[in-house]
Amino acid sequence: MTDLANPTSGESLGVNGSAVGPTGQTRSGMSADALRAAVRDHLVYSIARPAAVLTPEHYYRALSLAVRDRMQKRWMATTQDWLDLSAKVTCYLSAEFLMGPQLGNNLLNLGIEKQAREALSDLGQDLDEVLACEGEPGLGNGGLGRLAACYLDSLATLERPSIGYGIRYEFGIFRQEISDGWQVEKTDNWLVRGNPWEIDKPDASYVVNWGGHTEQYEDVTGRLRVRWVPQRVLQGVSYDTPVQGYGVNTCNTLTLWSARAVESFALEAFNTGDFYKAVDEEVVSETVSKVLYPNDEPEAGKRLRLLQQYFFVTCSLQDILSIHLKRAHLPLHRLPDKWAIQLNDTHPSIAVAELMRLLIDEHHLAWDDAWDLTVRTFGYTNHTLLPEALETWPLRIFGEALPRHLELIYEINDRFLDEVRARFPGDEERVSRMSLIGEDGGKSVRMAHLATVGSHAVNGVAALHSELLKQSVLKDFYEMWPERFGNVTNGVTPRRFLALSNPGLRALIDDTIGPGWLTDLERLHGLESFVDDPAFRLRWREVKRANKSRLAEYVHSITGIELDPTWMFDVQVKRIHEYKRQHLMVLHIIALYQRLKNNPGLTIPPRAFIFGGKAAPGYFMAKRIIKLITAVGDTINADPEVNRCMKLVFLPNFNVKNAHLVYPAANLSEQISTAGKEASGTGNMKFMINGAVTIGTLDGANVEIRQEAGAENFFLFGLTESQVEKVKADGYRPLSHVENDAELAGVLELIANGEFTHGDTEVLRPVVDNLVHHDPFLVLADYRSYVDCQDEVSRAWLDRDAWSRMSIRNTARSGKFSSDRAIREYCDEIWGVRPMSVDLE
Ligand SMILES: *Cc1c(COP(=O)(O)O)cnc(C)c1O
């Protein structure tokens, strides 16, 4: 949000409708009439197409621009207010923001859905058809990026001044197609049709250095300083998107950085006649924000990935410092009073060294002062316990790319390890475990350690996860600074994941307990007094049925498979990963298939099994698991002996847009990761809010979901985290489970014998081999417990009223999982950021 650095430039913002007259009404009026006029206006002046050729897509763009206009004065007023009042601001640094479609959400938050529908209808358009034209801004992989987006919604709704900082990837997460049962990746050129929500600020940008070396020099006062002489220079240009709060004037900012060649450098080459070098430089520079890395977990050693991280971090920190120094001429030592910077996982953790560099090299602060400000400003959220997922950078790559930062990290490390030695004298093993520089398998920089040492607060994302953090990957740090460690259980925004995506349930809840619950989700408890009301339960089921029909229609249009909305919808949607155990769900499906084939007279309560999720393109096993799912689906769906009571769908390209259709349609939510592996999960919360009942392990936030819902409204199975550790310590023998379970043996044999692959015994062999010989995620150890639990689910489903009660109680007790609760905790316990109401008058 670079231009904010100069709040006094230009004219007064004229917040209060300085715009009078026809144009002002067109830009700000909230009535259906004003919106209709605004859409007409944009069709002429922004879209520039004659009436005869207008399509719903044109109306989508015109309406989006009209809606953006309506956020504009709220946006300017919000920013102006926190500048004027010198309010403390949260900066949420995240390499991913998985925002989802914006138009519907903005209409909801502005409170003008009805008016927009009416305005479009007057123009001969259907709002739903127009909404469907919006593409997915897929600037994230999954849960982590979606969490960042939910948090922006809550920050604005809770009227907390905030800026989200990230990367404007030209290509987001790939589009997944399924061909012959395999995942095929297609590039996601999301900007090709324009993005009506962003405003670019090409006039303001920051310089980003890269590579080269450092030099010492004496400044005018005779002090020794360090200068970074980069090998390459590029610049970051900001694109700002408004983030409108629900039912409030607050409209915050998401700033995404896009890489450009530095003009002067290119010009220099031009002037000396080296045209090709100039163009080449540009190509290389713009590569930096070209594409999102499609891995759910980081992979080590990609130079461009490090450049992406550094690129958006330095632009963001330079922006923050520049706003800080210009606003009321605040001195640098007030930085932690005015800014709370949160690191969403380690992806932005280079910020610790970069802020030190800016404060020391550019602003000439002394080391101790700079370090004090740095630690007081940063907070770090850890998102994973998987040791292979903890980010490290090989020292050589790091030092070549960021030579000055490596020096600073060595200095931070020396001082830090002195502290460790003072606290734990003689414990050199501890010193090497805690060092910022790892020695195992070639030297590397440990980013989680850097983030922990450089932050005053470190949190996990669910109660269990935060406990395990203190006992495992950050144990030594916890022993050193117990007061730094806390927990903030994740949450999801009920605006998008209930009101927007489940309008039927929203209306029923409004009818039943009145308004107010959407910003105070604990009020859903009010639904509990209606569980014994048969008329209410009937309406509850009708809403779910309508959502299932809506999903069935979509599934049919995409896959050609017909689903019966009276069947149980049993759903697992999330990234494909061995620890999430999609293959465990498949084993249960094959067990049912086997039972039906062996007993032609058998009937089971009919179920539709629905999967969705992307596999990282280089993740061999995850791609085989997709093939397993689709192969089993093809077999089941085509076989009249089984498809009378079971079907299987793999919904391609799971993303936020189609998630809107999926979560509200689920009866059963599959949350079946190996205990101790899923940090929190947020899909589990979206299902619960929408009245699905969970079958799950005691992992991540499932633990708290079960606590809130009540054990009787949750299907629990599987080993606990400590049991998992014990099994592993004792030496896990998967074959023992096969030997003791004839049904399981039969299931694995069906896969191995090619039952689902037209006799091909090779395609799925790696999956079976993995399960039977070297599976760190203990699928077979949990198989029997899971399948028995599923039999219990089937019995429970037969009692319609009992199931409805469970479903209602899940929604009624889901209040804790609102991202509003999570953001309040961050604001109160970590950021010290207070509400600031924005007055438009
Ligand atoms: C919520 C969400 C996720 C995270 O799902 P988990 O079940 O928590 O892994 C991933 N992708 C999308 C599109 C989501 O909306």
Side-chain angles (χ1 to χ4, degrees):
M1 52 183 304
T2 31
D3 63 332
L4 297 176
N6 205 358
T8 52
S9 74
E11 293 160 89
S12 133
L13 287 170
V15 158
N16 175 24
S18 55
V20 271
T23 316
Q25 256 307 308
T26 308
R27 296 258 191 211
S28 62
M30 304 292 255
S31 67
D33 284 349
L35 272 173
R36 189 182 55 237
V39 170
R40 279 214 177 101
D41 199 60
H42 276 297
L43 285 172
V44 174
Y45 292 103
S46 307
I47 310 300
R49 292 288 209 296
V53 303
L54 290 176
T55 64
E57 164 121 19
H58 295 127
Y59 282 92
Y60 158 72
R61 279 165 54 198
L63 179 59
S64 296
L65 291 170
V67 169
R68 196 186 74 185
D69 289 341
R70 275 141 188 83
M71 295 190 283
Q72 218 86 302
K73 70 176 177 183
R74 292 168 173 80
W75 195 9
M76 296 297 99
T78 302
T79 307
Q80 190 68 61
D81 275 4
W82 62 252
L83 286 169
D84 289 348
L85 299 171
S86 203
K88 189 168 182 181
V89 178
T90 291
C91 297
Y92 200 81
L93 265 59
S94 179
E96 305 185 5
F97 286 92
L98 192 52
M99 297 294 282
Q102 293 295 290
L103 177 55
N105 200 248
N106 287 330
L107 291 173
L108 168 70
N109 284 11
L110 284 168
I112 53 171
E113 298 161 285
K114 282 204 181 74
Q115 294 90 320
R117 191 172 291 281
E118 190 185 326
L120 282 185
S121 153
D122 292 348
L123 296 164
Q125 296 294 312
D126 173 50
L127 177 61
D128 295 317
E129 202 182 328
V130 166
L131 287 171
C133 293
E134 183 163 4
E136 169 104 353
L139 308 187
N141 272 285
L144 175 140
R146 186 52 237 176
L147 183 78
C150 283
Y151 281 177
L152 294 188
D153 183 75
S154 284
L155 279 161
T157 299
L158 294 173
E159 303 181 294
R160 314 290 163 135
S162 61
I163 308 170
Y165 281 113
I167 302 172
R168 183 176 177 270
Y169 301 104
E170 198 176 322
F171 295 90
I173 186 70
F174 64 87
R175 191 161 45 79
Q176 177 194 57
E177 289 179 5
I178 300 297
S179 172
D180 190 27
W182 297 94
Q183 166 174 299
V184 177
E185 300 95 19
K186 295 287 164 76
T187 51
D188 162 50
N189 199 353
W190 71 290
L191 288 168
V192 75
R193 289 170 140 171
N195 173 10
W197 302 106
E198 66 187 9
I199 293 188
D200 63 322
K201 310 282 174 66
D203 53 310
S205 66
Y206 295 103
V207 167
V208 179
N209 292 339
W210 185 251
H213 62 275
T214 63
E215 291 174 352
Q216 294 205 335
Y217 70 100
E218 230 174 70
D219 71 8
V220 284
T221 67
R223 286 186 62 169
L224 211 53
R225 300 205 175 277
V226 178
R227 162 161 64 213
W228 176 12
V229 183
Q231 184 198 359
R232 277 178 48 198
V233 181
L234 49 138
Q235 62 179 335
V237 180
S238 81
Y239 286 73
D240 287 1
T241 299
V243 181
Q244 175 67 49
Y246 173 84
V248 292
N249 287 327
T250 301
C251 184
N252 287 325
T253 302
L254 170 63
T255 291
L256 299 180
W257 301 102
S258 181
R260 296 279 182 282
V262 173
E263 286 157 56
S264 57
F265 266 55
L267 276 175
E268 207 171 82
F270 258 148
N271 295 340
T272 56
D274 194 349
F275 173 81
Y276 292 101
K277 179 172 179 291
V279 174
D280 195 43
E281 185 77 3
E282 196 150 312
V283 169
V284 174
S285 299
E286 296 187 348
T287 301
V288 173
S289 54
K290 188 66 97 186
V291 60
L292 168 74
Y293 278 90
N295 289 331
D296 218 6
E297 314 293 347
E299 49 165 353
K302 286 277 187 287
R303 201 180 301 265
L304 179 62
R305 166 95 176 161
L306 180 61
L307 179 48
Q308 284 188 341
Q309 295 181 350
Y310 177 64
F311 164 75
F312 96 91
V313 161
T314 186
C315 290
S316 308
L317 292 180
Q318 290 183 62
D319 197 36
I320 291 166
L321 287 181
S322 138
I323 299 171
H324 179 83
L325 293 171
K326 280 174 183 155
R327 113 168 123 164
H329 305 288
L330 283 169
L332 269 178
H333 73 82
R334 301 291 310 278
L335 200 68
D337 306 335
K338 298 299 164 191
W339 304 92
I341 306 180
Q342 193 66 22
L343 307 173
N344 193 25
D345 211 336
T346 54
H347 316 146
S349 58
I350 187 62
V352 171
E354 173 64 3
L355 184 58
M356 287 297 283
R357 186 189 71 84
L358 290 168
L359 293 177
I360 292 172
D361 293 353
E362 312 268 323
H363 295 278
H364 299 177
L365 261 63
W367 181 281
D368 289 336
D369 296 333
W371 184 246
D372 173 66
L373 297 181
T374 297
V375 173
R376 283 165 58 211
T377 302
F378 286 117
Y380 160 51
T381 303
N382 173 284
H383 284 271
T384 181
L385 296 165
L386 302 180
E388 68 271 23
L390 288 174
E391 215 170 15
T392 60
W393 291 104
L395 213 61
R396 191 182 52 80
I397 289 184
F398 193 98
E400 282 170 11
L402 300 169
R404 178 57 179 146
H405 297 78
L406 189 56
E407 289 174 5
L408 290 164
I409 285 171
Y410 278 140
E411 181 69 28
I412 295 169
N413 201 33
D414 283 348
R415 290 165 184 250
F416 163 60
L417 293 181
D418 283 348
E419 242 185 284
V420 176
R421 288 192 180 95
R423 268 292 300 282
F424 305 95
D427 194 348
E428 280 306 304
E429 269 190 28
R430 178 185 297 264
V431 169
S432 77
R433 283 199 309 268
M434 295 181 79
S435 173
L436 304 187
I437 306 298
E439 306 275 350
D440 23 78
K443 285 194 174 188
S444 63
V445 184
R446 296 163 161 166
M447 301 311 275
H449 293 200
L450 178 63
T452 303
V453 170
S455 300
H456 67 282
V458 178
N459 72 285
V461 289
L464 174 66
H465 169 64
S466 296
E467 280 314 305
L468 294 176
L469 255 190
K470 296 191 285 190
Q471 292 165 25
S472 60
V473 289
L474 296 180
K475 180 170 192 280
D476 294 316
F477 294 88
Y478 174 64
E479 287 169 4
M480 180 124 176
W481 298 305
E483 70 286 352
R484 282 194 193 187
F485 284 75
N487 170 248
V488 182
T489 299
N490 283 167
V492 300
T493 172
R495 268 74 65 186
R496 181 177 293 272
F497 289 108
L498 204 172
L500 184 62
S501 53
N502 197 344
L505 190 57
R506 174 193 184 190
L508 176 56
I509 296 172
D510 276 341
D511 265 9
T512 309
I513 61 172
W517 55 272
L518 196 48
T519 47
D520 182 7
L521 211 63
E522 292 289 348
R523 289 202 208 174
L524 290 179
H525 277 293
L527 295 172
E528 294 204 37
S529 27
F530 297 85
V531 286
D532 291 323
D533 175 349
F536 178 73
R537 287 201 305 269
L538 180 63
R539 290 179 74 189
W540 189 267
R541 280 197 292 271
E542 282 170 355
V543 167
K544 185 62 87 179
R545 173 76 60 87
N547 293 339
K548 289 161 76 176
S549 297
R550 187 178 67 158
L551 177 61
E553 228 171 88
Y554 178 72
V555 163
H556 183 252
S557 75
I558 299 287
T559 67
I561 300 167
E562 291 197 29
L563 297 181
D564 181 337
T566 66
W567 291 17
M568 181 202 300
F569 278 20
D570 177 347
V571 187
Q572 186 173 26
V573 287
K574 49 182 77 239
R575 287 300 288 259
I576 311 293
H577 206 293
E578 287 164 272
Y579 85 79
K580 292 176 184 279
R581 301 201 295 192
Q582 278 88 0
H583 41 356
L584 177 56
M585 181 162 154
V586 177
L587 294 185
H588 168 240
I589 295 167
I590 298 174
L592 294 179
Y593 169 86
Q594 185 176 235
R595 288 180 201 171
L596 288 167
K597 295 301 273 186
N598 292 345
N599 311 283
L602 183 70
T603 55
I604 58 170
R607 283 203 209 195
F609 299 95
I610 299 168
F611 291 86
K614 295 173 185 176
Y619 188 169
F620 173 85
M621 194 56 69
K623 292 180 121 175
R624 292 284 153 146
I625 291 172
I626 291 179
K627 180 64 179 173
L628 170 69
I629 295 168
T630 56
V632 171
D634 289 346
T635 307
I636 286 176
N637 298 342
D639 183 344
E641 283 176 12
V642 291
N643 70 16
R644 60 196 168 85
C645 49
M646 59 193 293
K647 283 200 181 172
L648 190 163
V649 168
F650 187 93
L651 189 60
N653 199 40
F654 178 60
N655 60 12
V656 177
K657 191 175 174 183
N658 56 46
H660 286 194
L661 304 174
V662 174
Y663 293 113
N667 299 115
L668 188 66
S669 158
E670 298 270 352
Q671 307 300 334
I672 61 178
S673 51
T674 316
K677 301 300 178 194
E678 186 77 87
S680 163
T682 48
N684 46 7
M685 303 170 184
K686 300 171 201 166
F687 280 112
M688 183 197 197
I689 288 180
N690 285 283
V693 181
T694 303
I695 181 166
T697 49
L698 283 179
D699 198 17
N702 295 354
V703 177
E704 291 154 83
I705 285 177
R706 180 166 174 267
Q707 237 157 41
E708 296 293 306
E712 69 285 7
N713 301 303
F714 185 107
F715 292 96
L716 178 69
F717 76 95
L719 299 172
T720 63
E721 187 273 334
S722 56
Q723 289 167 339
V724 165
E725 288 313 308
K726 183 163 184 333
V727 167
K728 287 192 167 181
D730 295 350
Y732 173 47
R733 274 194 60 248
L735 272 175
S736 70
H737 297 283
V738 184
E739 287 153 9
N740 293 318
D741 195 324
E743 188 178 64
L744 173 57
V747 165
L748 293 172
E749 231 166 79
L750 283 176
I751 305 174
N753 291 344
E755 174 90 357
F756 308 108
T757 43
H758 313 288
D760 185 333
T761 57
E762 289 307 309
V763 188
L764 298 176
R765 183 194 297 277
V767 181
V768 177
D769 280 353
N770 175 269
L771 292 176
V772 172
H773 296 301
H774 33 74
D775 166 25
F777 303 107
L778 274 50
V779 171
L780 299 191
D782 273 347
Y783 169 85
R784 180 45 53 196
S785 166
Y786 176 62
V787 169
D788 288 349
C789 189
Q790 285 285 16
D791 289 338
E792 214 185 302
V793 169
S794 286
R795 282 190 294 275
W797 175 253
L798 292 175
D799 185 343
R800 224 171 43 163
D801 279 321
W803 188 278
S804 297
R805 285 190 174 88
M806 283 198 289
S807 167
I808 295 165
R809 288 196 168 110
N810 265 275
T811 299
R813 299 172 181 179
S814 66
K816 173 174 182 183
F817 304 105
S818 167
S819 45
D820 296 345
R821 185 269 316 149
I823 283 300
R824 270 200 195 89
E825 291 178 9
Y826 276 106
C827 284
D828 295 348
E829 285 154 37
I830 298 178
W831 300 334
V833 167
R834 309 178 52 76
M836 179 198 78
S837 65
V838 175
D839 200 347
L840 292 183
E841 296 314 316

